[in-house]
Each structure stands twice: as C-alpha cells, then as structure tokens.
Amino acid sequence: MSDVARPLENADCPLPPRRGLNRVQAAGYVGVGTSKFDAMIQDGRMPKAKRIDGRRVWDRRALDAAFDRLLDDAQTDANPWDD
C-alpha cells in the first residue's frame, strides 16, 4: 500500500474530529443543502465563516451552538391564535 492510499487515521492513532469545516461540510453537518445553509447564514440562524488566509471555514462548535438555538418541531407548530 503506498503512502498516498493510506487513510489519515487508523485504530491505533485516530485523528480528533475536524473543527473547521468548509461550506459543503458545514451544510452537511447541520443536515441541509448549501443553498439552505447560505439562507440560514443570511438570516442569522447559522454563524458566518472565519477566514483562514483566503479560505472560509465554519467552526464546528459555533455550528453546534447555532443548531441548539433552532426551534424544535413542536415549537414551530404552535399557533399563537390557539392560546
């Protein structure tokens, strides 16, 4: 097996989860497509990216916090006129 074909992690020395995610990875991490992710950034439901040189990178911890703030299904189904 060549060095190129070896996986980056193995059972003896696993890598920690990646903290910085690109746009596609960040969208997938929260379970939406990139268009929906972009809209969620625009309306403030998801965080903006950090800059690392010319790259935009989303912090996994910031995504977790934003995801935790999203309303649950039961909260979004509530009709204020029902009270």
Side-chain angles (χ1 to χ4, degrees):
M1 178 186 257
S2 73
D3 287 338
V4 175
R6 285 189 190 147
L8 293 176
E9 59 182 80
N10 61 46
D12 297 329
C13 184
L15 291 174
R18 180 177 295 173
R19 181 162 173 192
L21 305 173
N22 67 34
R23 177 174 162 260
V24 172
Q25 293 167 333
Y29 183 71
V30 297
V32 298
T34 54
S35 295
K36 174 56 79 177
F37 185 68
D38 293 343
M40 294 174 79
I41 293 167
Q42 289 300 313
D43 66 23
R45 290 182 287 169
M46 285 293 134
K48 293 184 178 183
K50 295 183 176 285
R51 283 267 178 205
I52 299 176
D53 297 328
R55 284 189 69 200
R56 293 183 313 155
V57 179
W58 279 264
D59 183 340
R60 187 173 44 88
R61 292 179 190 165
L63 293 170
D64 286 339
F67 192 85
D68 288 343
R69 288 189 299 271
L70 294 174
L71 296 177
D72 291 335
D73 217 13
Q75 293 170 305
T76 59
D77 289 342
N79 184 341
W81 295 101
D82 290 342
D83 293 338

